[in-house]
């Protein structure tokens, strides 16, 4: 099968969150399974320093954005057999420090930037010599892709366009812009209505994907159910209920060739489920690196996160002083909302022996936290899939999670299954409920046999991409079959 994936983030080339990991692994494992895969993604500023530079395809694009025409070059890279990355090089749009914004906030021209990127992706979808049968777009940044394909089929002589799948990684990011921004899509006004891409008088790029893709998916079965309800539907639950026969939830996988506890260049010591001594070495190294008193026996909690509302910091921050009034340490790595950054830094100042915080984005440290922590805290308000709890399971950092979305689908609480228990869940979105779960962790910690039981269950759980990729493959097969019929 021939598949073109469009994404604004792609590990290892650009990343702000799990989208990058997911798309990078999806492409890699589909190609490994024998499919012809292209991934189209922007050529951001930091990629210019890639050595050697990515070669340029003999193919320049001139695409309209409103009343202007912008030119782009396409760079390419073939990291593995059957896998080609197409980087859209448009300096005016993408030669910037951030992916979506800078200290001043989101870039004001994001509508134009991602309308252009979506057009470029569709252009490839239409004219690539290997003729993709499926175009798989992700999140609002590429929400226009299914609509543009639909439109070119309807009015512009594209006779047999590929089938489209649109994956929702997070319904809360909706790509909403003033109605005037419709101009930069060059689409006719007749798509601007409540059954099209209008969202309460504005334009939503996410909605374009939700309405016009042949099929929709999201990144866990539970989130696929949750978004049908007003509480998680972010205003789209009605639309999603209408489309629920074309919506599936597939839990993300883990690329275990990168997220591994043996021969991982980021870690001080290797370990696995049967040889846990190395985990203690990593724990001491982490405590030293973060400036906490090294102590192999004190329970160490970790967190790595975008500091966003979704991630539960408004219940975690009030719970932390209570947690560390017991013998316990907490380390956090994250960046984002300045309110949460300063609240966390303030806690670290007040509890220097117990709480350590690093503000920033640091892949190496993220592996070291997973490897050094005894427990990993994810109190998310909602969580479409979540990758960190999956990484934690493999790294033997027992996840303490709120039972929502992909967290609920991947972590097993003792009340659910005595034999397969691998984590601790709580339900109420409140600091006391979280604290109760953290106390359960503290009670578990001094019981070495039970602790090891949890840990080994987690480390042996299998969230490998082979299965996840096979689930996507099934959808592609069905969609391509329908198109052929
Ligand atoms: P989300 O995509 O909502 O941010 P996920 O759990 O799916 O949440 O994925 C987050 C990914 O981003 C993980 O790979 C995590 O390790 C990484 N990550 C998040 N914040 C940081 C950070 N500050 N430094 C390094 N990696 C981070
Ligand atoms: C989003 C979600 C996260 C998910 C990731 C990758 O960022 O917030 O839960 O794991 O996408 O699918």
């Amino acid at each position: 099968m021939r598949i073109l994936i469009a994404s604004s983030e792609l590990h290892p080339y650009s990343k702000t969150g799990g989208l990058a990991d997911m798309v990078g692994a999806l492409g890699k494992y589909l190609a490994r399974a024998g499919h012809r895969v292209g991934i189209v993604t922007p050529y951001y500023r930091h990629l210019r320093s890639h050595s050697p530079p990515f070669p340029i395809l003999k193919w320049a694009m001139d695409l309209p954005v409103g009343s202007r025409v912008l030119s782009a070059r396409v760079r390419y890279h073939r990291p593995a057999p059957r896998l080609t990355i197409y980087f859209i090089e448009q300096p005016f749009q993408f030669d910037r420090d951030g992916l979506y914004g800078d200290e001043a906030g989101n870039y004001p021209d994001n509508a134009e930037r991602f309308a252009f990127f979506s057009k470029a992706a569709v252009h490839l979808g239409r004219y690539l010599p290997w003729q993709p049968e499926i175009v798989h777009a992700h999140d609002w940044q590429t929400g226009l892709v299914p609509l543009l394909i639909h439109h070119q089929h309807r009015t512009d002589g594209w006779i047999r366009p590929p089938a489209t799948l649109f994956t929702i990684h997070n319904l809360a990011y909706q790509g909403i812009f003033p109605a005037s921004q419709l101009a930069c899509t060059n689409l006719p006004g007749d798509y601007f209505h409540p059954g099209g891409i209008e969202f309460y008088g504005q334009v939503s790029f996410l909605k374009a994907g939700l309405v016009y893709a042949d099929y929709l998916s999201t990144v866990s079965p539970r989130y696929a159910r949750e978004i049908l309800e007003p509480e998680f539907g972010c205003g789209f639950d009605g639309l999603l209920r209408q489309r629920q026969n074309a919506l599936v939830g597939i839990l993300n996988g883990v690329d275990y060739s990168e997220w591994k506890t043996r021969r991982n260049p980021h870690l001080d010591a290797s370990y696995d489920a049967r040889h846990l001594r190395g985990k203690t070495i990593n724990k001491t190294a982490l405590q030293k690196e973060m400036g906490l008193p090294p102590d192999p026996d004190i329970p160490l909690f970790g967190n790595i996160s975008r500091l966003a509302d979704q991630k539960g910091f408004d219940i975690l921050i009030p719970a932390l002083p209570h947690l560390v009034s017991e013998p316990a340490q907490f380390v956090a790595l994250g960046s984002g909302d300045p309110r949460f950054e300063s609240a966390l830094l303030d806690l670290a100042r007040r509890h220097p022996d117990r709480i350590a915080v690093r503000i920033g984005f640091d892949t190496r440290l993220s592996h070291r936290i997973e490897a050094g922590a005894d427990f990993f805290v994810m109190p998310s308000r909602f969580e479409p899939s979540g990758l960190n709890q999956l990484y934690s399971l493999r790294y033997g950092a027992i996840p303490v999670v709120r039972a929502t979305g992909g967290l609920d689908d991947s972590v097993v609480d003792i009340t659910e299954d005595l034999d397969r228990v691998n984590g601790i869940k709580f339900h109420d979105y409140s600091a006391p409920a979280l604290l109760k779960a953290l106390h359960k962790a503290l009670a578990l910690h001094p019981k070495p046999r039970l602790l090891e039981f949890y840990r080994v269950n987690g480390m042996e759980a299998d969230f490998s991409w082979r299965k996840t990729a096979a689930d996507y493959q099934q959808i592609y097969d069905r969609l391509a079959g329908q198109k052929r019929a």
Side-chain angles (χ1 to χ4, degrees):
M1 179 143 290
R2 302 180 305 276
I3 305 141
L4 180 66
I5 297 172
S7 173
S8 61
E9 296 187 24
L10 175 61
H11 174 75
Y13 311 104
S14 56
K15 169 165 171 177
T16 69
L19 170 65
D21 293 16
M22 188 280 188
V23 173
L26 174 67
K28 174 169 159 181
Y29 283 87
L30 287 171
R32 241 181 229 182
H35 303 288
R36 175 81 174 87
V37 182
I39 307 181
V40 49
T41 196
Y43 187 67
Y44 296 111
R45 172 171 295 173
H46 64 272
L47 292 171
R48 281 199 314 201
S49 54
H50 194 274
S51 164
F54 300 117
I56 297 165
L57 215 60
K58 287 196 191 69
W59 185 4
M61 297 181 182
D62 296 308
L63 298 169
V65 182
S67 55
R68 287 180 306 154
V69 172
L70 290 180
S71 305
R73 294 199 294 195
V74 183
R75 289 181 181 267
Y76 68 97
H77 181 49
R78 296 208 175 95
R82 294 178 294 278
L83 177 61
T84 310
I85 318 291
Y86 300 96
F87 294 102
I88 302 300
E89 182 178 15
Q90 209 308 312
F92 179 72
Q93 309 278 24
F94 301 118
D95 186 4
R96 304 185 187 188
D97 283 336
L99 270 57
Y100 312 124
D102 54 23
E103 310 79 58
N106 288 333
Y107 294 128
D109 56 351
N110 274 345
E112 204 178 283
R113 296 173 75 225
F114 290 102
F116 179 81
F117 173 60
S118 296
K119 287 179 182 211
V122 170
H123 197 73
L124 283 183
R126 186 161 180 177
Y127 297 109
L128 271 172
W130 54 271
Q131 301 232 316
E133 298 156 273
I134 301 287
V135 172
H136 185 172
H138 297 260
D139 272 358
W140 75 263
Q141 296 87 342
T142 57
L144 288 174
V145 166
L147 168 54
L148 291 164
I149 292 178
H150 167 88
H151 179 67
Q152 293 187 22
H153 175 54
R154 197 165 68 102
T155 67
D156 191 22
W158 192 354
I159 295 165
R160 292 177 75 80
T164 53
L165 171 64
F166 182 65
T167 295
I168 307 157
H169 293 261
N170 197 330
L171 207 58
Y173 297 91
Q174 307 183 328
I176 292 186
F177 304 101
S180 58
Q181 296 286 338
L182 189 63
C184 69
T185 67
N186 301 81
L187 286 162
D190 58 5
Y191 290 110
F192 189 72
H193 59 87
I197 65 170
E198 179 189 345
F199 192 58
Y200 298 103
Q202 296 186 293
V203 178
S204 161
F205 286 11
L206 179 81
K207 193 173 175 193
L210 301 182
V211 173
Y212 293 99
D214 293 318
Y215 212 81
L216 304 174
S217 74
T218 187
V219 283
S220 68
R222 174 154 175 180
Y223 191 62
R225 295 192 299 275
E226 287 174 341
I227 56 180
L228 303 178
E229 304 296 329
E231 187 188 350
F232 295 99
C234 304
F236 289 121
D237 45 293
L239 167 58
L240 289 165
R241 282 195 298 278
Q242 282 170 25
R243 295 220 62 193
Q244 64 176 296
N245 292 333
L247 168 67
V248 68
I250 299 173
L251 187 69
N252 284 336
V254 177
D255 186 346
Y256 288 125
S257 66
E258 297 203 11
W259 292 91
K260 58 186 181 185
T261 56
R262 302 200 71 86
R263 287 181 292 281
N264 180 330
H266 301 305
L267 305 184
D268 282 25
S270 285
Y271 65 101
D272 61 32
R274 305 280 156 220
H275 310 89
L276 281 163
R277 214 181 70 81
K279 184 157 175 79
T280 311
I281 299 174
N282 289 312
K283 177 174 176 178
T284 310
L286 176 66
Q287 288 167 322
K288 286 189 186 147
E289 177 170 357
M290 297 297 287
L292 293 172
D295 176 352
D297 297 322
I298 193 166
L300 175 58
F301 293 75
N303 175 274
I304 303 158
S305 187
R306 291 184 291 115
L307 302 180
D309 276 334
Q310 165 195 350
K311 300 292 180 181
F313 286 96
D314 52 348
I315 62 172
L316 180 59
I317 287 164
L320 281 176
H322 300 281
L323 172 68
V324 299
S325 68
E326 312 277 340
Q329 293 176 338
F330 176 80
V331 296
L333 163 66
S335 64
D337 191 327
R339 276 182 308 144
F340 299 138
E341 288 186 1
S342 61
L344 285 171
L345 288 170
D346 188 50
L347 282 169
R349 261 190 304 273
R350 282 194 282 135
H351 306 273
D353 287 351
R354 291 292 166 82
I355 299 181
V357 172
R358 184 78 55 83
I359 301 299
F361 196 93
D362 185 340
T363 300
R364 175 180 167 275
L365 183 57
S366 74
H367 284 260
R368 293 170 71 78
I369 292 177
E370 299 280 10
D374 297 300
F375 298 98
F376 194 91
V377 195
M378 276 179 94
S380 306
R381 186 190 288 277
F382 66 93
E383 195 61 75
S385 165
L387 291 171
N388 276 314
Q389 84 282 11
L390 303 179
Y391 302 153
S392 305
L393 287 168
R394 177 51 57 108
Y395 280 58
I398 296 166
V400 180
V401 304
R402 179 151 179 273
T404 182
L407 298 176
D408 197 32
D409 285 338
S410 54
V411 175
V412 183
D413 189 80
I414 196 159
T415 55
E416 295 171 305
D417 190 332
L418 271 176
D419 295 326
R420 292 192 314 122
V421 57
N422 59 23
I424 297 169
K425 283 184 187 171
F426 67 100
H427 293 266
D428 271 7
Y429 187 75
S430 70
L434 165 60
L435 196 58
K436 202 165 153 196
L438 294 171
H439 278 122
K440 285 187 187 169
L442 291 177
L444 173 64
H445 191 258
K447 302 186 181 118
R449 296 218 354 234
L450 193 56
L451 188 73
E452 189 170 329
F453 186 67
Y454 273 64
R455 204 168 250 166
V456 170
N457 275 347
M459 295 179 79
E460 289 182 344
D462 182 7
F463 294 98
S464 54
W465 255 97
R466 245 193 322 275
K467 183 185 171 309
T468 311
D471 288 346
Y472 281 101
Q473 200 173 306
Q474 256 185 17
I475 301 176
Y476 300 152
D477 273 341
R478 193 153 12 106
L479 288 175
Q482 283 164 6
K483 282 272 153 164
R484 278 194 295 267

